[in-house]
Each structure stands twice: as structure tokens, then as C-alpha cells.
Amino acid sequence: MGRKKQIPDRWLNYHPMKEALDDARIIPIKCPLPVNRFQSEAMQQHRWTPADAMDSIPNLGLVIDITNKQPSYYDPKEFIQNGIDVLKIPCVGHHVPDDSVFFRLCNAINVFLMRNRRNNRIIALHCTHGINRTGYLICRYLIEHLRYSPQEALNTFALKRGYSIERRNYIEALHRLPPVAVY
């Protein structure tokens, strides 16, 4: 067995998930961690593993990992062996995600939605806590693809995740997005 690792900073402070954004078919979650790789009694009490994510989201079809951790915190095979696709899009924390990350994410979401238009499968999107990078990217998607206003996107994310985006630079960047034309 490998060396035990430390639980990511503040990971224990957040619940794993709340509910999906139905119109986007995305559920924001915190990063699942394999219990056997992290040394902590707290980890046993607050466990959120890939298996827990699959049990909690029975219609899960795709997991998008936007942590900047290489390799990922968990083994993607845990999802893949259960018929769930996994995509890694590394995204640096604390900085507003750049356009290339957003465009890769949009492409993945749009391809998934097209391929799954006749079922109810959804996407789980996570960074480490499922709050800041995850929130920014979901809100930007809501604004640019589903025509939400920035404040409406922020409010919806907070309601569905159970936490608001904490980083001021992410919130300000969302408010600076150019308005999307409605045809």
C-alpha cells in the first residue's frame, strides 16, 4: 500500500453535494477522495469517495475533474469501470479559469448533452471543494449558454451547491462578462 496522504486543506469544511442544476444537467460536487489513501479519522467520518458519488448520483454519466492535481486525487478507473466517463481539465486554483479551460469544458458539456439527449444522465463537475473554480465555470456556462444574468447564475449556483463562490476575483470576472445577445 502506498504512503498515506493529507486531506486537502479545508476539504472537511464542505458537504459533498446538494442538487443538480436541472437545465444544465450538471451537479457541482467536492472532489471525492479514496479513504484508503488518506490518513485521518475525520476522513472516515466525512467520507466522500468515488463509490459514494456514484451511490448518491445514480444517473451519473460524466465526471469532470478540474483540480490541478496530477495525477488526480482518485483513480478514474473507479468511475470508468462503472460506465461513467471521466475527463480531466486541469485548472489552477485562486486564479480565474482561462478561456481555454472554459472552452474545453463547454465542448465536453455540449457533446455529453447531445449524446445523452434521450436519457437523464448528468455531469458531476468538481474542483477540490466544488465551490470556486467549479462555481465560476458553471456560472459562466449558465451566462453564456443558457442566458442567465451574472447575478442569477451566482444565486442559482449558491442554491444548488449550498455554498456561494467565495473568491471575489471570480465573482467580479462573472459580472464583467459581456452581455449575451438574445435573438
Side-chain angles (χ1 to χ4, degrees):
M1 183 182 327
R3 195 175 111 243
K4 296 291 183 182
K5 301 187 185 249
Q6 293 296 316
I7 294 172
D9 187 41
R10 300 184 310 119
W11 186 87
L12 295 170
N13 297 353
Y14 301 99
H15 58 259
M17 58 174 254
K18 189 173 176 194
E19 59 188 286
L21 290 91
D22 294 325
D23 53 354
R25 290 176 59 182
I26 300 170
I27 186 162
I29 66 172
K30 76 176 178 179
C31 183
L33 300 176
V35 173
N36 61 343
R37 285 186 52 210
F38 292 87
Q39 182 82 7
S40 169
E41 192 172 309
M43 181 62 189
Q44 301 300 325
Q45 295 172 329
H46 299 279
R47 62 179 277 145
W48 175 246
T49 66
D52 295 324
M54 290 182 279
D55 288 346
S56 299
I57 312 165
N59 57 334
L60 185 58
L62 171 63
V63 175
I64 302 176
D65 174 358
I66 60 168
T67 63
N68 203 36
K69 178 88 168 132
Q70 296 289 351
S72 294
Y73 284 105
Y74 53 85
D75 185 347
K77 284 188 252 173
E78 292 184 63
F79 290 108
I80 294 165
Q81 291 168 345
N82 287 283
I84 298 163
D85 293 328
V86 178
L87 177 63
K88 177 76 171 178
I89 304 175
C91 182
V92 176
H94 303 268
H95 301 282
V96 174
D98 64 35
D99 287 344
S100 67
V101 168
F102 179 67
F103 295 143
R104 280 189 68 200
L105 177 75
C106 289
N107 185 59
I109 292 169
N110 293 334
V111 167
F112 176 86
L113 293 175
M114 184 185 69
R115 289 182 179 158
N116 291 278
R117 67 182 170 275
R118 292 189 174 97
N119 62 43
N120 70 343
R121 297 187 85 187
I122 66 170
I123 300 164
L125 177 63
H126 74 80
C127 51
T128 307
H129 306 119
I131 307 294
N132 291 304
R133 287 170 285 179
T134 298
Y136 172 83
L137 290 168
I138 287 174
C139 287
R140 186 167 172 190
Y141 184 83
L142 294 175
I143 293 163
E144 294 191 12
H145 288 263
L146 299 179
R147 310 249 189 270
Y148 281 56
S149 71
Q151 196 56 55
E152 183 182 23
L154 287 161
N155 292 344
T156 300
F157 175 78
L159 177 70
K160 298 296 185 171
R161 177 63 181 99
Y163 302 101
S164 298
I165 294 175
E166 299 166 342
R167 299 213 177 276
R168 190 95 216 122
N169 56 329
Y170 290 24
I171 295 166
E172 290 168 358
L174 289 167
H175 281 287
R176 283 193 309 269
L177 290 172
V180 176
V182 179
Y183 299 99

